[in-house]
CSV table of all heavy atoms in Angstrom, one decimal:
chain,number,residue,atom,x,y,z
A,1,ALA,N,51.4,-76.5,-4.9
A,1,ALA,CA,52.1,-75.4,-4.4
A,1,ALA,C,52.9,-74.6,-5.4
A,1,ALA,O,53.1,-73.5,-5.4
A,1,ALA,CB,53.0,-75.9,-3.2
A,2,LYS,N,53.4,-75.3,-6.4
A,2,LYS,CA,54.2,-74.8,-7.4
A,2,LYS,C,53.3,-74.2,-8.7
A,2,LYS,O,53.6,-73.1,-9.2
A,2,LYS,CB,55.1,-75.7,-8.0
A,2,LYS,CG,56.4,-76.1,-7.2
A,2,LYS,CD,57.4,-76.9,-7.8
A,2,LYS,CE,58.6,-77.1,-7.0
A,2,LYS,NZ,59.7,-77.8,-7.7
A,3,LYS,N,52.1,-74.9,-8.9
A,3,LYS,CA,51.3,-74.5,-9.9
A,3,LYS,C,50.6,-73.2,-9.7
A,3,LYS,O,50.3,-72.4,-10.6
A,3,LYS,CB,50.4,-75.7,-10.3
A,3,LYS,CG,49.6,-75.3,-11.6
A,3,LYS,CD,48.8,-76.6,-12.0
A,3,LYS,CE,47.9,-76.4,-13.3
A,3,LYS,NZ,48.8,-76.0,-14.4
A,4,TRP,N,50.1,-73.1,-8.5
A,4,TRP,CA,49.3,-71.9,-8.1
A,4,TRP,C,49.9,-70.9,-7.2
A,4,TRP,O,50.0,-71.3,-6.0
A,4,TRP,CB,47.9,-72.4,-7.5
A,4,TRP,CG,47.0,-73.1,-8.6
A,4,TRP,CD1,46.3,-72.4,-9.7
A,4,TRP,CD2,46.8,-74.4,-8.8
A,4,TRP,NE1,45.7,-73.3,-10.5
A,4,TRP,CE2,45.9,-74.6,-10.0
A,4,TRP,CE3,47.1,-75.6,-8.1
A,4,TRP,CZ2,45.5,-75.9,-10.4
A,4,TRP,CZ3,46.6,-76.8,-8.6
A,4,TRP,CH2,45.9,-77.0,-9.7
A,5,PRO,N,50.4,-69.8,-7.6
A,5,PRO,CA,51.1,-68.9,-6.7
A,5,PRO,C,50.3,-68.4,-5.6
A,5,PRO,O,50.9,-68.0,-4.5
A,5,PRO,CB,51.5,-67.7,-7.7
A,5,PRO,CG,51.5,-68.4,-9.1
A,5,PRO,CD,50.4,-69.4,-9.0
A,6,ALA,N,49.0,-68.4,-5.7
A,6,ALA,CA,48.1,-67.9,-4.6
A,6,ALA,C,48.3,-68.8,-3.3
A,6,ALA,O,47.9,-68.3,-2.2
A,6,ALA,CB,46.7,-67.9,-5.2
A,7,THR,N,48.8,-70.0,-3.5
A,7,THR,CA,49.0,-70.9,-2.3
A,7,THR,C,50.1,-70.4,-1.5
A,7,THR,O,50.4,-70.8,-0.3
A,7,THR,CB,49.2,-72.3,-2.8
A,7,THR,OG1,50.6,-72.3,-3.5
A,7,THR,CG2,48.2,-72.8,-3.6
A,8,GLY,N,50.9,-69.4,-1.9
A,8,GLY,CA,52.1,-69.0,-1.2
A,8,GLY,C,53.3,-70.0,-1.1
A,8,GLY,O,54.2,-69.9,-0.3
A,9,GLY,N,53.2,-71.1,-2.0
A,9,GLY,CA,54.2,-72.0,-2.0
A,9,GLY,C,54.1,-73.2,-1.2
A,9,GLY,O,54.9,-73.9,-0.9
A,10,VAL,N,52.9,-73.2,-0.3
A,10,VAL,CA,52.7,-74.2,0.7
A,10,VAL,C,51.2,-74.8,0.6
A,10,VAL,O,50.3,-73.9,0.5
A,10,VAL,CB,52.9,-73.7,2.2
A,10,VAL,CG1,52.8,-74.9,3.1
A,10,VAL,CG2,54.3,-73.1,2.3
A,11,VAL,N,51.1,-76.0,0.5
A,11,VAL,CA,49.8,-76.6,0.3
A,11,VAL,C,49.8,-77.9,1.3
A,11,VAL,O,50.6,-78.7,1.3
A,11,VAL,CB,49.5,-77.1,-1.1
A,11,VAL,CG1,48.2,-78.0,-1.2
A,11,VAL,CG2,49.3,-75.9,-2.0
A,12,ASP,N,48.7,-77.9,2.1
A,12,ASP,CA,48.5,-78.9,3.0
A,12,ASP,C,47.2,-79.8,2.5
A,12,ASP,O,46.1,-79.3,2.4
A,12,ASP,CB,48.1,-78.4,4.5
A,12,ASP,CG,48.1,-79.5,5.5
A,12,ASP,OD1,47.9,-80.7,5.2
A,12,ASP,OD2,48.0,-79.2,6.7
A,13,LEU,N,47.4,-81.1,2.3
A,13,LEU,CA,46.4,-82.0,1.7
A,13,LEU,C,45.9,-82.9,2.7
A,13,LEU,O,45.4,-84.0,2.4
A,13,LEU,CB,46.8,-82.7,0.4
A,13,LEU,CG,46.9,-81.8,-0.8
A,13,LEU,CD1,47.2,-82.8,-2.1
A,13,LEU,CD2,45.6,-81.2,-1.1
A,14,ARG,N,46.0,-82.7,4.0
A,14,ARG,CA,45.5,-83.6,5.0
A,14,ARG,C,44.0,-83.7,5.0
A,14,ARG,O,43.3,-84.5,5.6
A,14,ARG,CB,46.1,-83.3,6.3
A,14,ARG,CG,47.5,-83.7,6.4
A,14,ARG,CD,48.1,-83.2,7.9
A,14,ARG,NE,48.0,-81.8,8.0
A,14,ARG,CZ,48.0,-81.2,9.3
A,14,ARG,NH1,48.1,-82.0,10.3
A,14,ARG,NH2,48.0,-79.9,9.3
A,15,ASP,N,43.4,-82.5,4.7
A,15,ASP,CA,42.0,-82.5,4.6
A,15,ASP,C,41.4,-83.2,3.4
A,15,ASP,O,41.7,-82.8,2.2
A,15,ASP,CB,41.4,-80.9,4.6
A,15,ASP,CG,40.0,-80.8,4.6
A,15,ASP,OD1,39.3,-81.0,5.6
A,15,ASP,OD2,39.5,-80.4,3.5
A,16,GLU,N,40.5,-84.1,3.6
A,16,GLU,CA,40.0,-84.9,2.5
A,16,GLU,C,39.2,-84.1,1.6
A,16,GLU,O,39.3,-84.4,0.2
A,16,GLU,CB,39.0,-86.0,3.0
A,16,GLU,CG,39.8,-87.1,4.0
A,16,GLU,CD,38.9,-88.2,4.3
A,16,GLU,OE1,38.0,-88.5,3.5
A,16,GLU,OE2,39.3,-89.0,5.3
A,17,ALA,N,38.5,-83.2,1.9
A,17,ALA,CA,37.5,-82.3,0.9
A,17,ALA,C,38.5,-81.5,0.0
A,17,ALA,O,38.3,-81.4,-1.1
A,17,ALA,CB,36.7,-81.4,1.7
A,18,ARG,N,39.6,-81.0,0.6
A,18,ARG,CA,40.5,-80.1,-0.2
A,18,ARG,C,41.2,-81.0,-1.1
A,18,ARG,O,41.4,-80.6,-2.3
A,18,ARG,CB,41.5,-79.5,0.7
A,18,ARG,CG,42.4,-78.4,0.1
A,18,ARG,CD,43.4,-77.8,1.0
A,18,ARG,NE,43.9,-76.6,0.2
A,18,ARG,CZ,45.0,-75.9,0.7
A,18,ARG,NH1,45.6,-76.4,1.8
A,18,ARG,NH2,45.5,-74.8,0.0
A,19,ARG,N,41.7,-82.1,-0.8
A,19,ARG,CA,42.4,-83.0,-1.8
A,19,ARG,C,41.5,-83.6,-2.8
A,19,ARG,O,41.9,-83.8,-4.0
A,19,ARG,CB,43.2,-84.1,-1.1
A,19,ARG,CG,42.5,-85.1,-0.3
A,19,ARG,CD,43.6,-86.1,0.2
A,19,ARG,NE,43.1,-87.2,0.9
A,19,ARG,CZ,43.2,-87.5,2.2
A,19,ARG,NH1,43.9,-86.5,3.0
A,19,ARG,NH2,42.7,-88.5,2.8
A,20,ALA,N,40.2,-83.7,-2.5
A,20,ALA,CA,39.2,-84.2,-3.5
A,20,ALA,C,39.0,-83.1,-4.6
A,20,ALA,O,39.0,-83.4,-5.8
A,20,ALA,CB,37.9,-84.6,-2.9
A,21,ARG,N,39.0,-81.8,-4.1
A,21,ARG,CA,38.9,-80.8,-5.1
A,21,ARG,C,40.2,-80.7,-6.0
A,21,ARG,O,40.0,-80.5,-7.3
A,21,ARG,CB,38.7,-79.5,-4.4
A,21,ARG,CG,37.4,-79.2,-3.7
A,21,ARG,CD,37.0,-77.8,-3.3
A,21,ARG,NE,38.0,-77.4,-2.3
A,21,ARG,CZ,37.9,-77.5,-1.0
A,21,ARG,NH1,36.8,-78.1,-0.5
A,21,ARG,NH2,38.8,-77.0,-0.2
A,22,LEU,N,41.3,-81.0,-5.4
A,22,LEU,CA,42.5,-80.9,-6.3
A,22,LEU,C,42.6,-82.0,-7.3
A,22,LEU,O,43.0,-81.8,-8.4
A,22,LEU,CB,43.7,-80.9,-5.3
A,22,LEU,CG,45.0,-80.9,-6.0
A,22,LEU,CD1,45.3,-79.7,-7.0
A,22,LEU,CD2,46.2,-81.0,-4.9
A,23,MET,N,42.2,-83.2,-6.8
A,23,MET,CA,42.3,-84.4,-7.6
A,23,MET,C,41.4,-84.3,-8.8
A,23,MET,O,41.6,-84.8,-9.9
A,23,MET,CB,41.9,-85.6,-6.7
A,23,MET,CG,43.0,-86.0,-5.7
A,23,MET,SD,42.4,-87.5,-4.7
A,23,MET,CE,43.8,-87.7,-3.7
A,24,ALA,N,40.3,-83.6,-8.6
A,24,ALA,CA,39.4,-83.5,-9.7
A,24,ALA,C,39.8,-82.7,-11.0
A,24,ALA,O,39.5,-82.8,-12.1
A,24,ALA,CB,38.0,-82.9,-9.2
A,25,ILE,N,40.8,-81.8,-10.6
A,25,ILE,CA,41.4,-80.9,-11.7
A,25,ILE,C,42.8,-81.2,-12.0
A,25,ILE,O,43.4,-80.5,-12.8
A,25,ILE,CB,41.2,-79.4,-11.2
A,25,ILE,CG1,42.0,-79.1,-9.9
A,25,ILE,CG2,39.7,-79.0,-11.1
A,25,ILE,CD1,42.1,-77.7,-9.6
A,26,THR,N,43.4,-82.2,-11.5
A,26,THR,CA,44.8,-82.6,-11.7
A,26,THR,C,44.8,-83.7,-12.7
A,26,THR,O,44.2,-84.9,-12.4
A,26,THR,CB,45.5,-82.9,-10.5
A,26,THR,OG1,45.4,-81.9,-9.5
A,26,THR,CG2,47.0,-83.3,-10.8
A,27,PRO,N,45.5,-83.7,-13.9
A,27,PRO,CA,45.7,-84.8,-14.8
A,27,PRO,C,46.3,-85.9,-14.2
A,27,PRO,O,47.2,-85.8,-13.3
A,27,PRO,CB,46.6,-84.1,-15.9
A,27,PRO,CG,46.4,-82.7,-15.7
A,27,PRO,CD,46.2,-82.4,-14.4
A,28,VAL,N,45.9,-87.1,-14.6
A,28,VAL,CA,46.4,-88.3,-13.9
A,28,VAL,C,48.0,-88.5,-14.2
A,28,VAL,O,48.6,-89.0,-13.3
A,28,VAL,CB,45.7,-89.5,-14.5
A,28,VAL,CG1,46.1,-89.9,-16.0
A,28,VAL,CG2,45.9,-90.9,-13.7
A,29,GLY,N,48.5,-87.9,-15.3
A,29,GLY,CA,49.9,-88.0,-15.5
A,29,GLY,C,50.8,-87.2,-14.5
A,29,GLY,O,52.0,-87.3,-14.5
């Protein structure tokens, strides 16, 4: 929500497909 302004500051990760896409591009740190 903070990294991508296009989200409007709110992100819902209850959807498995959406969180899989985010996890793929997010550093483990």
